[in-house]
């Protein structure tokens, strides 16, 4: 499986591409930045173009996106929701399945604790991927963590979906 993990944001969207295996292999990672002086529409178009470029260059099998967390700052939350929508649209245009994961599930899958801090997640991403140094910026670490979460969750999710009862009643 080859997955694109996305940590959506309007100013900075992190992405990380991982190929399954032991250990998972990092293929590419980076950020897409939008200019805060541009209009909202222009920024969303710029984000879509950047994501289309990443998809075209790497052609993953699926996309995993971190869902927006509850945020007291409504403006920040709205910009993350908009960036998530753009990411889902671009993946959908490419015919790719999209799975969303809340931050607590990502942290649990990567660090073993749904309340893990940024530093713990960064250290575990580095260990799991056998990186010589932590990925930077934090948006890249988060995107790689989302991709790792998907690599760990997808086989279980697929097995449950494929069962005769679809996991119901068990």
């Amino acid at each position: 499986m080859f997955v694109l993990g996305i940590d959506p944001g309007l100013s900075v969207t992190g992405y990380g591409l991982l190929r399954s295996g032991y250990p998972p292999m990092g293929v590419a990672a980076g950020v897409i930045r939008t200019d805060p002086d541009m209009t909202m529409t222009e920024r969303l178009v710029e984000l879509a173009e950047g994501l289309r470029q990443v998809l075209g260059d790497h052609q993953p099998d699926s996309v995993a996106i971190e869902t927006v967390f509850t945020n007291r700052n409504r403006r920040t939350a709205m910009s993350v929701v908009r960036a998530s929508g753009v990411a889902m649209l671009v993946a959908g245009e490419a015919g790719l399945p999209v799975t969303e994961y809340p931050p607590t599930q990502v942290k649990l899958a990567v660090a073993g604790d749904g309340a893990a801090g940024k530093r713990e997640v960064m250290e575990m991403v580095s260990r799991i991927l056998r990186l010589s140094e932590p990925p930077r910026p934090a948006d890249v670490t988060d995107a790689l963590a989302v991709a790792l979460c998907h690599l760990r969750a997808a086989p279980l999710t697929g097995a449950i979906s494929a069962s005769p009862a679809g996991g119901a009643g068990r």
Side-chain angles (χ1 to χ4, degrees):
M1 174 182 290
F2 185 33
V3 62
L4 169 62
I6 298 175
D7 176 38
L10 185 59
S11 295
V12 180
T13 290
Y15 66 88
L17 290 120
L18 298 178
R19 192 171 303 284
S20 60
Y22 185 78
M25 184 175 73
V27 175
V31 295
I32 300 165
R33 296 182 189 277
T34 65
D35 183 347
D37 292 332
M38 297 169 72
T39 68
M40 177 64 68
T41 302
E42 292 168 329
R43 293 176 83 182
L44 295 173
V45 168
E46 191 170 296
L47 175 58
E49 289 170 354
L51 289 169
R52 284 186 188 105
Q53 182 70 48
V54 170
L55 289 176
D57 289 349
H58 300 287
Q59 301 181 353
D61 300 319
S62 60
V63 174
I65 302 174
E66 187 171 60
T67 59
V68 71
F69 57 92
T70 303
N71 190 320
R72 293 180 192 201
N73 184 336
R74 196 173 103 167
R75 186 174 180 169
T76 299
M78 286 301 299
S79 68
V80 172
V81 168
R82 288 174 171 152
S84 293
V86 168
M88 294 174 85
L89 172 69
V90 169
E93 288 174 341
L96 297 173
V98 175
T99 307
E100 295 181 272
Y101 296 98
T104 53
Q105 187 174 351
V106 173
K107 293 173 184 180
L108 181 62
V110 173
D113 179 357
K118 289 265 187 199
R119 183 174 199 83
E120 293 166 292
V121 172
M122 180 177 56
E123 288 173 5
M124 288 307 298
V125 166
S126 296
R127 273 192 207 151
I128 293 166
L129 297 177
R130 299 181 181 176
L131 302 174
S132 58
E133 58 186 56
R136 301 232 189 261
D139 309 274
V140 170
T141 299
D142 291 348
L144 290 168
V146 173
L148 283 169
C149 177
H150 186 69
L151 288 177
R152 291 180 170 182
L156 179 59
T157 303
I160 292 170
S161 296
S163 73
R170 294 182 189 204

